[in-house]
Amino acid sequence: MGQTLFDKIWDAHVVSSKEGFPDILYIDTHFIHEVTSPQAFDGLRKRGLPVFRPKQTVATADHNVPTWDQHLPIKEELSRYQVDMLTKNCAEFGIELYGLGHPFQGIVHVIGPELGVTRPGCTYVCGDSHTSTHGAFGAIAFGIGTSQVEQVLATQCLLQSRPKRMKIEVNGQLQKGVGAKDIILYIISKISAAGGTGYAVEYAGDTIRSLSMEGRMTICNMSIEMGARCGLIAPDETTINYVRGREFAPKGEEWDKAVDYWKTLYSDEDAEFDSVLSFNAEDIEPMITYGTNPGMGIGVTQNVPATADVEKAEQPSYTKALNYMGLHDAQPILGKPVDYVFIGSCTNSRIEDLRQVAEFVKGKHKADNVTVWVVPGSKQVQEQAIREGLDKIFDAAGFPLREPGCSACLGMNEDKIPAGKYCVSTSNRNFEGRQGPNSRTFLASPLTAAASAITGVVTDIREFLKEEELV
Amino acid sequence: MSTKIFKHIQSTVVPVNIENIDTDQIIPARFLKATTRDGFGNNLFRDWRFDEDDNPKRDFILNNPLYSGKILLAAKNFGCGSSREHAAWAIADYGFDAVVSSFFADIFKGNALNNGLLPVQVSDEFLAKLFAAVEADPNTQVEIDLVDQFIKISATGEMEEFEVNPYKKACMTNGYDDIDYILSNTALVEEFEQGR
């Protein structure tokens, strides 16, 4: 019987497989950041252990960093302390740090791929659930907790039971204005925020194949939002072309050898999956969430579901979510006034996202009632945007280009959405208080976010694109 | 290094009948700035427990003096979202030894097991029974036995068996952790590296 892509990579990394025990899985690269690592380093000190393979560990500061005036000391004392601890720990244990001020600094899931650290056929972990992003290259990438961060620092291995395998196919032509973010929000809305729990999910089908690496990263990034252990996409020419020539990509003969191997990384025709789901690209509208988990999403022209249509047992939680969002049964979401628009996060802060937004907003201006933040995923993305003159387009539109970091995705740094305010956000989570205490999040694509910033209300990007075609 | 040992508990229960409780609710990101594992219990369910002025919200169950105990009972898909282990630390630090739900998010389940906090997955039917019993009588005693893998409502004797990974069970009942296990296999790890 054939093997799935996931199993091929897993099997190539098993150090030990013993009945009754989880497998010991070898980890090629361990990404760390300031929030989930300090207790792990403390653990090593208590055990008197070094970092086993410091050269296979890459560190950056992203969650706590300000995205304005980054050259100044971090104002918030605890944030500054946590970032300083990372610097100290990396120095003590011999780990390369791309900290504030370094040309490679940025969101951990943006810098790995852009530096060529993320490659097909490898295993990655990070103390961050959106590590699933790296699977876009045909890799196994898990988000882990701090005890496991300590485990990987100490051993370069992760103790893990093999998850079940799911294939999600998307085939067909996307509508204009519909992109990778809409695909993944659509899938999660169909299978729920728990629909992928226990699975490694491989995305396949001609629609997925047609996506750029940035789009594939957006899809894999949100695998965790349906509960999946990880997400991955088989590497192809798009993948190889993206990795070629990057800072840490293999070179010369090593490159040729790597590419030969990468070409063996796909699910065999007769590989068996524990679950297979299939969706049509034509059915996908620009998506938006209305509730307090990423599964609560609808096409932007649809109405919020009525409570009576929700399963009885789930109605109290549903009502709680609508109350939090200040929405009511069967309400249209289109035309709802918004206060903030956030374009950024490990889901949508790559150069392609910024180019797409810039192309759309060129010659337009944001509505007066909206504050817009555009936050590049890394220093390299920021500099590329400036080289291409995107910053000027953004400035003219009232969309200031900020400095790299996790920003308003998680309400941990200075960038928070105020209580009660609505934010159309390109990030990945609409949980209560995620973007700041009592903030209200509508998750959407960069284009939907940009269009809503221009009009000041939740907007169907397709209406804009139609008009532009007429002109 | 040893972790907390868990074999058997009997306790009253704190019921939080909400689905899809994500780790941002269990511990909001703004409280993740500590660099030690201690003290997270003070901010467990922070924004459900306290208002903007840090006054306890009377309608939230953790502020209801009728309910206390070592067992947290929650509706399905508990612990979804962020991988922050701080969520497990906050629950354990508050004083809970076990969380009972009909469905757990994977990363949370692993984090809990790594911290001596037992996630007990029961059927939807048994979960409904537990909520009904505890809501009818806040003094309801529930037993959780990890050795024989069952959960029981003490007064009625209604019980259900639960699954647990045999390796993690051995860790929890003996106080071992994963690093001890992998370190005992270091030779295999080095052999693997040389064979690549």
Side-chain angles (χ1 to χ4, degrees):
Chain A
M1 197 184 67
Q3 271 193 308
T4 66
L5 168 62
F6 179 84
D7 289 296
K8 286 180 182 176
I9 305 170
W10 181 282
D11 288 348
H13 289 83
V14 172
V15 169
S16 160
S17 187
K18 216 160 98 182
E19 186 67 30
F21 289 81
D23 287 353
I24 300 181
L25 195 70
Y26 192 78
I27 301 303
D28 291 310
T29 302
H30 184 194
F31 294 105
I32 61 169
H33 61 83
E34 77 278 17
V35 181
T36 55
S37 66
Q39 294 87 351
F41 284 110
D42 262 357
L44 291 186
R45 279 189 205 99
K46 278 187 197 137
R47 292 173 200 260
L49 290 173
V51 171
F52 186 65
R53 295 289 177 258
K55 298 261 177 292
Q56 287 167 246
T57 313
V58 174
T60 191
D62 53 7
H63 284 62
N64 272 289
V65 305
T67 61
W68 202 255
D69 284 341
Q70 255 180 14
H71 59 286
L72 299 177
I74 300 175
K75 280 184 225 145
E76 223 259 324
E77 193 189 331
L78 290 174
S79 291
R80 190 174 65 240
Y81 183 69
Q82 211 169 44
V83 171
D84 289 347
M85 279 295 276
L86 179 69
T87 309
K88 187 175 153 277
N89 285 327
C90 287
E92 182 181 333
F93 287 92
I95 293 167
E96 182 88 55
L97 167 65
Y98 303 137
L100 274 182
H102 193 286
F104 296 163
Q105 182 266 337
I107 305 176
V108 63
H109 310 308
V110 175
I111 69 168
E114 81 183 359
L115 290 172
V117 174
T118 306
R119 302 198 286 262
C122 295
T123 50
Y124 300 93
V125 293
C126 176
D128 190 287
S129 59
H130 293 113
T131 308
S132 58
T133 311
H134 305 264
F137 290 78
I140 294 180
F142 294 132
I144 56 177
T146 297
S147 294
Q148 292 169 311
V149 171
E150 183 180 340
Q151 185 184 126
V152 180
L153 288 173
T155 68
Q156 203 58 35
C157 291
L158 184 71
L159 213 51
Q160 192 80 185
S161 299
R162 192 186 295 245
K164 293 181 285 183
R165 277 76 79 201
M166 179 188 284
K167 178 160 76 167
I168 297 183
E169 287 186 319
V170 186
N171 287 297
Q173 182 72 40
L174 289 169
Q175 299 174 45
K176 210 167 174 207
V178 175
K181 182 64 164 288
D182 302 299
I183 297 175
I184 191 64
L185 285 173
Y186 178 83
I187 293 171
I188 302 168
S189 78
K190 294 295 175 198
I191 74 171
S192 92
T197 304
Y199 288 95
V201 176
E202 181 179 344
Y203 302 94
D206 57 43
T207 315
I208 301 292
R209 281 274 138 251
S210 73
L211 296 173
S212 66
M213 283 318 295
E214 286 86 348
R216 295 178 190 187
M217 283 188 255
T218 299
I219 301 254
C220 288
N221 171 275
M222 291 193 71
S223 302
I224 182 66
E225 307 313 335
M226 52 180 155
R229 207 60 197 82
C230 65
L232 69 173
I233 296 172
D236 57 12
E237 285 303 315
T238 305
T239 322
I240 293 167
N241 289 335
Y242 181 96
V243 179
R244 182 183 287 119
R246 290 186 182 267
E247 186 81 21
F248 298 113
K251 307 274 166 9
E253 261 177 55
E254 287 290 308
W255 169 260
D256 296 336
K257 224 172 94 189
V259 170
D260 285 347
Y261 173 55
W262 297 349
K263 288 184 172 164
T264 68
L265 297 174
Y266 51 84
S267 288
D268 297 325
E269 290 263 328
D270 57 344
E272 274 189 34
F273 289 85
D274 300 284
S275 171
V276 177
L277 301 173
S278 200
F279 299 99
N280 293 320
E282 288 85 358
D283 296 342
I284 306 174
E285 274 197 273
M287 293 291 294
I288 193 149
T289 64
Y290 57 88
T292 54
N293 73 60
M296 301 173 84
I298 47 177
V300 71
T301 60
Q302 294 168 9
N303 294 351
V304 171
T307 306
D309 295 338
V310 174
E311 254 183 69
K312 189 127 182 77
E314 293 174 10
Q315 286 179 6
S317 298
Y318 185 77
T319 304
K320 183 176 187 303
L322 286 198
N323 285 343
Y324 180 84
M325 290 298 292
L327 298 173
H328 55 78
D329 267 19
Q331 177 179 351
I333 203 95
L334 209 58
K336 175 87 188 161
V338 302
D339 307 293
Y340 283 78
V341 165
F342 169 55
I343 295 167
S345 86
C346 57
T347 314
N348 283 121
S349 64
R350 297 181 178 82
I351 190 67
E352 187 192 60
D353 300 310
L354 268 50
R355 282 183 191 140
Q356 195 182 36
V357 170
E359 189 190 358
F360 171 73
V361 303
K362 193 169 185 174
K364 301 185 181 75
H365 197 274
K366 74 169 185 76
D368 289 342
N369 58 308
V370 183
T371 301
V372 186
W373 293 333
V374 181
V375 183
S378 70
K379 205 74 199 161
Q380 295 208 75
V381 169
Q382 182 193 1
E383 282 173 4
Q384 179 73 26
I386 292 170
R387 272 199 300 278
E388 295 179 17
L390 307 187
D391 57 326
K392 296 201 175 63
I393 296 171
F394 287 137
D395 268 343
F399 285 45
L401 178 66
R402 300 173 72 92
E403 292 172 281
C406 296
S407 185
C409 176
L410 87 166
M412 179 160 197
N413 48 69
E414 292 170 15
D415 304 343
K416 294 186 183 75
I417 306 304
K421 299 294 184 190
Y422 288 95
C423 179
V424 178
S425 178
T426 68
S427 54
N428 40 56
R429 292 192 170 130
N430 50 354
F431 298 149
E432 285 184 32
R434 173 77 181 181
Q435 297 192 285
N438 290 308
S439 61
R440 292 157 162 171
T441 305
F442 295 130
L443 298 176
S445 72
L447 276 179
T448 296
S452 303
I454 301 299
T455 58
V457 298
V458 172
T459 296
D460 184 351
I461 178 69
R462 292 170 300 181
E463 295 301 318
F464 261 107
L465 298 177
K466 254 189 241 162
E467 277 171 35
E468 285 177 6
E469 268 173 23
L470 291 174
V471 177
Chain B
M1 213 155 73
S2 68
T3 53
K4 204 169 113 184
I5 291 178
F6 188 117
K7 286 182 178 165
H8 178 97
I9 58 169
Q10 176 167 7
S11 169
T12 48
V13 174
V14 180
V16 183
N17 201 349
I18 299 170
E19 292 178 354
N20 298 311
I21 296 179
D22 59 79
T23 54
D24 275 83
Q25 305 320 310
I26 298 170
I27 182 89
R30 62 187 191 279
F31 300 109
L32 305 186
K33 298 183 190 196
T35 51
T36 67
R37 291 176 179 235
D38 311 318
F40 287 99
N42 293 334
N43 293 315
L44 174 66
F45 293 120
R46 180 74 199 194
D47 293 335
W48 288 351
R49 242 167 102 195
F50 300 101
D51 65 18
E52 303 86 84
D53 304 318
D54 295 336
N55 297 311
K57 291 184 181 176
R58 298 182 70 178
D59 60 348
F60 187 58
I61 198 89
L62 261 65
N63 295 323
N64 183 339
L66 290 176
Y67 290 96
S68 66
K70 292 179 186 301
I71 300 170
L72 179 64
L73 181 65
K76 74 176 178 197
N77 199 23
F78 186 83
C80 59
S82 157
S83 61
R84 58 190 70 165
E85 192 164 313
H86 314 64
W89 299 339
I91 295 169
D93 188 54
Y94 185 87
F96 291 113
D97 289 337
V99 187
V100 180
S101 177
S102 56
F103 198 85
F104 288 93
D106 284 333
I107 304 179
F108 175 80
K109 194 195 276 180
N111 287 340
L113 288 166
N114 282 338
N115 285 278
L117 176 69
L118 185 68
V120 179
Q121 186 158 325
V122 297
S123 65
D124 288 328
E125 295 72 38
F126 197 73
L127 190 77
K129 259 183 210 164
L130 284 168
F131 272 117
V134 173
E135 281 160 9
D137 177 8
N139 296 316
T140 300
Q141 292 278 328
V142 170
E143 285 171 59
I144 296 174
D145 193 290
L146 177 56
V147 178
D148 290 324
Q149 294 179 223
F150 69 82
I151 175 168
K152 184 163 86 177
I153 302 173
S154 303
T156 63
E158 287 172 288
M159 64 179 282
E160 190 168 273
E161 290 181 356
F162 62 85
E163 302 262 323
V164 61
N165 177 295
Y167 163 78
K168 290 313 288 188
K169 176 178 168 179
C171 285
M172 280 187 86
T173 51
N174 293 297
Y176 305 149
D177 79 6
D178 291 351
I179 296 182
D180 300 331
Y181 175 67
I182 306 179
L183 285 177
S184 71
N185 286 285
T186 302
L188 287 179
V189 178
E190 286 173 343
E191 198 179 300
F192 176 87
E193 287 179 325
Q194 279 153 20
R196 304 190 91 195

